[in-house]
Amino acid sequence: MNAQTRTGTIKSLTTHYIDGAFVESHGREVIDIINPTRGEVIGRVTLGDAEDTRRAIAAAKRALATYGRSTTEERAKLLRRLHDAAFARVDDLTAAMVEEYGGLVQFAGLIVRSGINAFSAAEQALQEIPWTRRWEKTTVTLEPVGVAGMITAWNANALFICLKLASAVAAGCTVVIKPSELSSLQTRVLVEALHEAGLPKGVLNVVTGLGTVVGAELVRNPDVAKISFTGSVGVGESIMRDCAATMKRMTLELGGKSPTILLDDAVLDQAIPSALTMAFMNSGQACAAGTRLLVPKNRLDAVKQAIPGAMRAFTVGDPSDPKTAVGPMVSQRQFERVQSYIRKGIEEGAEVLVGGEGHPEGFEGGYFVKPTVFVNVKNDMTIAQEEIFGPVLSVIAYDSDDEAIRIANDSKYGLHAAVIGTDLSRARRVASQLRAGRVVINGMTDDPQAPWGGFKYSGVGREYGRYGIEAFLEPRAILES
């Protein structure tokens, strides 16, 4: 599919945010921003290069000399200003996510507000951290790690930037952010908003560019002490290796292949819509999406009968329509990736219960895929083991709670999981045995103070609340004789 140029104004972005100002890019490479709903070019962005990145790092290093000595009270005030400045643009941020990413308007609104609220959550957590501990002649203080490089993904741009920035600001770090180049328009709206908070110059710097250029400079530059990355396992592995050269600290939030365990006492009229919601949230482009549905064999037929009817609520359409439940994939490349996995599932013998290959009828002009549910899936199939990042659900049968736990844990990922059942004590017992950073019981929920991150290949470290702030801190002990 070739992108068409929209008739009308094409937004052109040629600057980065460095040392408190929007400055012209030293880099000269230009890319198109394509609206995934219509397949039209809506903007052009000049990408930063290594020189832009070094300028941003230098600005952050200068600012650290002062900001790194700020008090928790001063940081709390900045977090409040950041919250208020971002909240003033909440509608613009939501509209940008719908336009550029194809995010569902209702989901986009939740994501944006969740990101903005990260500033308030960090301010609250700031008060709970023991910044200084003393005993006898020993004093231990928590110190900012230094300049932090942040590399964010395209599927929840405002959330990732706000979350990482809030934790770093609370810790006393200065930052250089490399957002996804696919989120350039969203980033500009957010940075314009954050600029109004009046941060000290150099505390926040943003350079939009490629991971192989801007991201690589952040990872290898010795003046960057910490990398916080959200994205794919492959890139995370590369970052981990490269960070070793300069002993950088790192937080890596990577992929997921999250299981939803439907216990045999679950009420299907409630459980199936809940499981499908977790599978198809953010059009399936979510690391926490519950894309493996584990069901007891004695209820498999009932589940197979219930899913097609429940799927009628998951309508494909224009993401700006509040009734739409599944929007487009972010790009042609992502569309093709999802299609390849659907074909692979068919080739390996899984049965398509709903959906399948190709565009949904009437949506050939954008990057839309059919929400797809496979049954008769074995957990060793490709579609059950690899992260697809699209609206594709694999239904897997099990015999007992112990087997469900074994299947759920039989994955290289361990980011998120869910348990659905009537007996709460039983659901808690099953949840406690799942190797995942977060487990929800009876529906998707969130707590901005609860840690977020994964076991195994889902990453290293945690974000959110006190856990996220502590990831940007180093303990220092002073001992007197």
Side-chain angles (χ1 to χ4, degrees), residues 224-432:
V224 176
K226 158 95 180 184
I227 292 291
S228 179
F229 169 76
T230 298
S232 71
V233 170
V235 176
E237 290 174 334
S238 176
I239 287 173
M240 178 176 274
R241 287 191 297 268
D242 292 344
C243 278
T246 51
M247 287 296 172
K248 283 181 173 56
R249 280 57 179 149
M250 72 191 96
T251 299
L252 306 176
E253 197 271 276
L254 308 176
K257 193 67 183 179
S258 303
T260 298
I261 298 178
L262 193 107
L263 298 175
D264 59 16
D265 64 349
V267 178
L268 292 189
D269 287 349
Q270 301 168 7
I272 296 301
S274 179
L276 295 176
T277 296
M278 287 187 279
F280 298 137
M281 61 179 172
N282 205 15
S283 304
Q285 297 178 123
C287 49
T291 53
R292 290 185 295 153
L293 176 58
L294 280 54
V295 303
K297 285 182 180 177
N298 62 5
R299 305 201 70 185
L300 180 59
D301 287 343
V303 168
K304 289 165 68 173
Q305 291 174 10
I307 285 176
M311 283 293 292
R312 285 195 285 268
F314 292 84
T315 54
V316 175
D318 186 336
S320 65
D321 185 344
K323 296 179 181 179
T324 297
V326 179
M329 301 295 92
V330 70
S331 65
Q332 176 70 21
R333 178 181 177 183
Q334 188 62 20
F335 169 84
E336 292 171 354
R337 172 184 169 89
V338 176
Q339 293 298 309
S340 71
Y341 275 106
I342 293 173
R343 287 193 297 272
K344 188 71 171 177
I346 295 170
E347 290 168 3
E348 292 187 350
E351 175 190 343
V352 175
L353 182 67
V354 179
E357 290 187 74
H359 291 86
E361 186 176 353
F363 294 96
E364 292 78 12
Y367 306 138
F368 294 91
V369 302
K370 298 175 184 176
T372 298
V373 179
F374 282 103
V375 294
N376 298 335
V377 177
K378 305 299 181 185
N379 199 53
D380 60 357
M381 290 181 177
T382 302
I383 57 171
Q385 286 294 317
E386 296 185 13
E387 185 177 42
I388 298 172
F389 230 61
V392 180
L393 173 64
S394 294
V395 178
I396 303 168
Y398 69 86
D399 280 315
S400 65
D401 289 1
D402 287 343
E403 186 182 18
I405 293 165
R406 181 188 62 76
I407 293 171
N409 290 334
D410 182 18
S411 169
K412 73 177 186 179
Y413 296 107
L415 182 64
H416 199 272
V419 181
I420 301 176
T422 302
D423 184 340
L424 190 55
S425 62
R426 179 186 178 195
R428 288 170 177 161
R429 185 171 63 252
V430 171
S432 70

Side-chain angles (χ1 to χ4, degrees), residues 160-181:
F160 297 138
I161 291 178
C162 292
L163 176 61
K164 294 177 190 295
L165 177 62
S167 295
V169 166
C173 293
T174 58
V175 307
V176 180
I177 300 174
K178 189 218 87 69
S180 170
E181 64 277 11

